[in-house]
Amino acid sequence: MPKVTIKDDFDLRKITDSGQCFRARELKMGTFRFITGRNILYIKKVDEESYDVSCEPQEWNSVWIPYFNLDENYADIRADIVKLGEGKPYGEYLKAATEFGAGIRILRQETFETLISFIISQRKNIPAIRKCVEQICKLSGKSVYTPQGVVSLFPKPNELAGVSVFDLANFALGYRGAYVKEAAQKVNDCIIDLRSLKDYSDQDLINELKKLRGVGDKIADCVALYAYHRTSVLPIDVWIGRAIKEDFNGENIFAQFGDKAGILQQYIFYYKRLAEKEY
DNA sequence: CACCAGGCTCGGC
DNA sequence: GCCGAGCATGGT
């Protein structure tokens, strides 16, 4: 099996549980599966900076290094965040949150999948979102056979647009079924061109996404951050809202972090949702 | 059983 | 422009 070396923050379990992707999962004993487009990766940590991967080096370089954002150094990013927080009332909190989440990275995910997944995400918890996304893949995505089993890919716009609202609603989407259908149709008909949006400014990108029914500030922000890698964009969900209220004395502290605001958001989301559970 | 979840739309001010 | 009800369904 090919091996790769990664000398930076990289925790497969934390990335899988980070709430930005919904199809990644641990199969068994530290082997994780990730999917993007038609590429499927099985990856397992074998040593301190060494990983077994199921793909050839060329695919690793062209697909998975960008996907995991491995061309940036997250240990440095964490250090920058901690430094900016030094002396502030929330300095220690940022230190704890970034340390707890060390290993998380902001993925560069496929645009259509991210859009649809986050439309589904509204008023659902993460396990429920995962289940819905998985069902949609099984219902309308292509099947790929790998040595580790059958994988259903996320459907292409035309594949998803062909599913009836009735079927979508029955797949636990409820009222979101119509939003998903509409969005898939508009992407398929090129009424919104997800590819060309990459050249838009952050604000223009968000405004375009918000033209879709079922896409408001939060979901547009998530798509901008997780699919278009706009790391200065700050999605505010209930957990981040809670952190602002409970931990930052009502102050939105994120703006000062510039293009690291979205990344800090991810650490705090993870920290808030999982760390405080213990108590 | 309640209450909450990576919110949004729509109608009423 | 801001505010709040209503929204379908599953997880905890």
Side-chain angles (χ1 to χ4, degrees), chain A residues 112 140 142 155-163 184-185 187-189:
Chain A
F112 181 62
S140 57
K142 286 197 176 66
K156 296 284 162 210
N158 67 314
E159 292 168 341
L160 189 52
V163 180
Q185 281 176 327
V187 173
N188 189 39
D189 298 342

Side-chain angles (χ1 to χ4, degrees), chain A residues 204-215:
Chain A
D204 289 347
L205 165 62
I206 287 164
N207 288 341
E208 284 304 304
L209 292 168
K210 281 173 67 177
K211 288 180 182 170
L212 297 168
R213 234 158 56 89
V215 179

Side-chain angles (χ1 to χ4, degrees), chain A residues 13-49:
Chain A
R13 184 168 289 109
K14 288 183 190 175
I15 293 169
T16 298
D17 293 339
S18 66
Q20 56 180 317
C21 56
F22 304 107
R23 302 199 65 209
R25 64 188 178 95
E26 182 174 8
L27 298 182
K28 51 169 186 187
M29 303 275 291
T31 297
F32 288 78
R33 186 198 69 191
F34 290 86
I35 309 168
T36 184
R38 73 186 73 173
N39 298 98
I40 301 163
L41 176 71
Y42 298 94
I43 178 168
K44 179 185 168 82
K45 182 167 186 162
V46 290
D47 207 338
E48 196 48 41
E49 293 174 339

